[in-house]
């Protein structure tokens, strides 16, 4: 039995959304149900996803499922930081495959503005190993900056190549009405921007956002009744790596992404070159370059050249993040994976508007939690 | 001295490897070694996952190490703002283990390059806190 995605939706990604987390989720949920033949009562289970350190509400699954009218069906909470909603999709897939449930809604959200910037700053300091690394004052940009530095040293990747990733993403977010940044950024601006963690500068880093996303999965039989354009989950992979930087063996790529990709490709029985359009986790520019290499879109070390040669633009070898990515669309932690899946589903349905990749049949989503801590790869097929 | 005095800001107060801090006070940076399989661990661990043994012993690191990668940060989490900018690095010790540590302020940023030799050394901080840092050889 195949499992399909029958509906996707999301809110706009904004710096400050002006609504509560329940309302944010409702907006994404309603957007998803609008175009398909399904009502809340037809959903057998819900999986709510977020990064709890940004939530004020304890155990948000209860609150969200109530507000969406999803009681008394079971509700679950899934967390893997920035890849929480991809984890939710994997759990939902397993529920359907095991015949426990037929229709599962995965709702990811994050209201980054829920807590003060001082509180955010404090939580950021605890993202690393709190016993052996946080006592030195490290946080996400520092971690990715160390990968960037090693990548530049090993492969000759340049700061200009990093900047080109942002230039591309801004071009596409300009075309995405739901994106947070709608301005095209130039290479010069990127290179002149203030330094965050050497060699990463302001435009090399994604921005926090408020937002919610929704993905509804269904069994083959139910899917045909809910929509005329189901998109099939062809492959799904997940892996983990060490939280400690000291235990990592690879400093120029994310091993968890390689492993998750290997699983997903094998299950989908496809090769990297069969992918028509991809969404990868570009929380930092270096992350997109490493993702292209880790997923086999190019050889290790050639990710910088891939973007420099415009091969990741529409019309290139493999269009990547043509919705603006995390860098320009914004990154509401728990909602990000669902938003990436939404982009690929719309591409495969031929509904991507100005950023449609012609004839896209196979799409891939790469969603990472932490600094290569949790790797998730999902392959979808028309 | 308990483990909560380790680093600029401590988040962990109780650990089976708190002797690490007492050794640090005496100028020694210690790793742990599993007595059963011989594997060396840094940061020190009380338990070996390879054979589920908790029979570990302390072993001193020479401090000789090579730079693997580094960054200088201009934004910091709560409690570290006063130190900005500061540098963090990952090094490989001659014993084989890797260490994540800050650079000492006396390291000349302009001369830092991957592959250079560095020395890992204990460092006393104000308010009776203690840490380790990377110094020029
Ligand atoms: Zn052992």
């Amino acid at each position: 039995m195949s499992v399909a995605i029958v509906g996707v939706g999301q809110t706009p990604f904004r710096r400050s959304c002006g609504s509560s987390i329940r309302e944010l989720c409702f907006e994404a949920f309603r957007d998803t149900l609008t175009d398909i033949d399904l009502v809340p009562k037809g959903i057998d289970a819900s999986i709510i996803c977020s990064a709890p350190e940004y939530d004020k509400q304890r155990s948000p699954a209860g609150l969200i499922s109530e507000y969406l009218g999803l009681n008394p069906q079971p509700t679950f909470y899934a967390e893997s930081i920035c890849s929480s909603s991809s984890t939710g999709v994997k759990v939902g897939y397993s529920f359907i495959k095991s015949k426990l449930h037929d229709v599962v809604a995965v709702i990811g959200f994050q209201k980054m503005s829920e807590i003060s910037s001082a509180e955010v700053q404090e939580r950021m300091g605890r993202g690393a190993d709190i016993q052996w690394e946080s006592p030195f004052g490290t946080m996400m940009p520092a971690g990715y900056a160390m990968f960037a530095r090693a990548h530049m040293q090993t492969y000759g990747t340049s700061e200009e190549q990093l900047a080109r990733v942002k230039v591309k993403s801004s071009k596409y977010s300009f075309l995405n009405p739901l994106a947070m940044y709608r301005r095209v950024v130039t290479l010069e601006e990127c290179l002149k921007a203030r330094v965050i963690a050497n060699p990463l500068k302001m435009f090399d880093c994604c921005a926090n956002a408020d937002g919610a996303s929704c993905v509804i999965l269904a069994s083959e039989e139910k899917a045909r009744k809910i929509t005329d354009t189901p998109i099939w989950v062809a492959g799904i992979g997940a892996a983990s790596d060490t939280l400690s930087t000291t235990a990592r063996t690879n400093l120029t790529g994310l091993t968890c992404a390689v492993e998750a990709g290997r699983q997903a490709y094998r299950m989908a029985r496809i090769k990297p070159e069969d992918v028509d359009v991809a969404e990868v986790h570009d929380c930092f520019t270096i992350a997109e370059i490493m993702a292209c290499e880790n997923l086999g879109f190019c050889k290790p070390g050639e990710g910088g050249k891939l973007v420099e040669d415009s091969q990741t633009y529409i019309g290139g070898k493999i269009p990547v993040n043509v919705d603006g990515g995390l860098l320009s669309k914004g990154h509401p932690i728990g909602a990000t994976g669902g938003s990436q899946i939404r982009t690929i589903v719309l591409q495969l349905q031929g509904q991507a508007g100005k950023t449609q990749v012609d004839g896209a049949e196979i799409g891939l989503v790469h969603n990472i939690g932490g600094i290569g801590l949790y790797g998730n790869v999902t392959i979808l097929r028309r | 001295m308990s483990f909560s005095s380790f680093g600029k800001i401590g988040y962990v107060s109780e650990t089976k490897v708190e002797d690490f801090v007492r050794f640090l006070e005496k100028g020694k940076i210690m790793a742990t070694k599993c007595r059963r399989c011989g594997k060396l661990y840094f940061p020190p661990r009380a338990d070996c996952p390879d054979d589920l043994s908790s029979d570990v012993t302390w072993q001193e690191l020479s401090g000789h190490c090579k730079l693997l990668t580094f960054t200088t940060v201009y934004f910091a989490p709560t409690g570290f703002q006063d130190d900005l900018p500061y540098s963090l690095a990952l090094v490989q010790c001659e014993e084989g283990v890797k260490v994540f540590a800050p650079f000492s302020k006396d390291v000349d940023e302009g001369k830092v390059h991957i592959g250079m030799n560095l020395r890992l050394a204990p460092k006393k901080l104000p308010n009776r806190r203690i840490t380790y840092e990377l110094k020029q050889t």
Side-chain angles (χ1 to χ4, degrees), chain B residues 80-99:
Chain B
F80 294 89
Q81 277 94 350
D82 294 347
D83 295 341
L84 287 172
Y86 56 89
S87 299
L88 299 166
L90 186 68
V91 296
Q92 173 105 50
C93 294
E94 63 177 359
E95 292 86 355
V97 292
K98 295 193 190 82
V99 178

Side-chain angles (χ1 to χ4, degrees), chain A residues 180-312:
Chain A
M180 190 159 81
Y181 295 118
R182 305 291 310 283
R183 186 173 74 80
V184 177
V185 177
T186 66
L187 190 63
E188 291 69 36
E189 272 181 277
C190 293
L191 292 171
K192 277 187 197 151
R194 64 199 167 109
V195 178
I196 304 291
N198 249 323
L200 302 178
K201 297 170 282 298
M202 196 177 76
F203 290 116
D204 289 299
C205 309
C206 71
N208 293 346
D210 289 355
S213 64
C214 176
V215 174
I216 297 179
L217 298 141
S219 62
E220 190 167 353
E221 193 194 334
K222 284 282 171 81
R224 306 261 184 215
K225 293 177 185 149
I226 297 169
T227 178
D228 294 332
T229 52
I231 296 300
W232 305 98
V233 179
I236 203 159
S240 64
D241 204 345
T242 64
L243 177 62
S244 319
T245 321
T246 47
R248 294 289 175 92
T249 47
N250 183 0
L251 297 177
T252 55
L254 305 181
T255 305
C256 68
V258 175
E259 174 55 21
R262 192 190 60 76
Q263 294 170 17
Y265 284 133
R266 193 163 107 178
M267 182 173 159
R269 296 197 189 90
I270 64 155
K271 294 190 176 71
E273 50 270 34
D274 298 325
V275 178
D276 299 311
V277 57
E279 279 283 298
V280 309
H281 197 87
D282 58 333
C283 49
F284 296 90
T285 49
I286 183 63
E288 179 171 311
I289 287 173
M290 293 194 298
C292 289
E293 297 171 4
N294 296 160
L295 292 165
F297 296 156
C298 62
K299 291 195 185 103
E302 293 180 358
K305 191 166 185 305
L306 194 71
V307 63
E308 191 178 335
D309 293 346
S310 300
Q311 296 296 345
T312 45

Side-chain angles (χ1 to χ4, degrees), chain A residues 19 28 44 92 98 101 121 127 137 159 185 199 204 211 265 282 314-315:
Chain A
S19 43
D44 303 319
S98 64
H101 305 295
Q121 203 103 21
E159 291 186 38
V185 177
D204 289 299
Y265 284 133
D282 58 333
I314 294 171

Side-chain angles (χ1 to χ4, degrees), chain B residues 8-134:
Chain B
K8 165 107 179 174
I9 291 180
Y11 300 94
V12 171
S13 56
E14 287 186 307
T15 169
K16 291 179 181 173
V17 292
E18 71 170 4
D19 279 347
F20 177 81
V21 175
R22 281 186 267 276
F23 282 116
L24 207 55
E25 282 278 305
K26 290 178 201 149
K28 293 178 177 182
I29 296 173
M30 305 293 275
T32 52
K33 187 174 191 168
C34 174
R35 280 192 214 258
R36 197 166 294 177
C37 71
K39 194 166 174 187
L40 191 67
Y41 289 105
F42 195 93
R45 301 179 50 125
D47 312 288
C48 176
D50 287 355
D51 42 33
L52 303 182
S53 165
S54 298
D55 186 12
V56 298
T57 178
W58 291 101
Q59 181 178 315
E60 188 176 358
L61 297 179
S62 71
H64 295 297
C65 53
K66 250 186 182 39
L67 184 60
L68 292 173
T69 187
F70 66 101
T71 181
T72 305
V73 301
Y74 292 81
F75 288 86
T78 305
F80 294 89
Q81 277 94 350
D82 294 347
D83 295 341
L84 287 172
Y86 56 89
S87 299
L88 299 166
L90 186 68
V91 296
Q92 173 105 50
C93 294
E94 63 177 359
E95 292 86 355
V97 292
K98 295 193 190 82
V99 178
F100 178 82
F103 271 129
S104 156
K105 289 281 180 194
D106 62 22
V107 173
D108 183 351
E109 292 283 336
K111 289 184 182 156
V112 170
H113 62 270
I114 289 176
M116 76 187 288
N117 289 314
L118 290 162
R119 188 166 56 86
L120 185 68
K123 157 97 173 164
K124 293 214 161 101
L125 296 172
N127 304 318
R128 301 200 66 230
R129 304 192 62 78
I130 192 156
T131 187
Y132 47 77
E133 63 177 14
L134 294 162

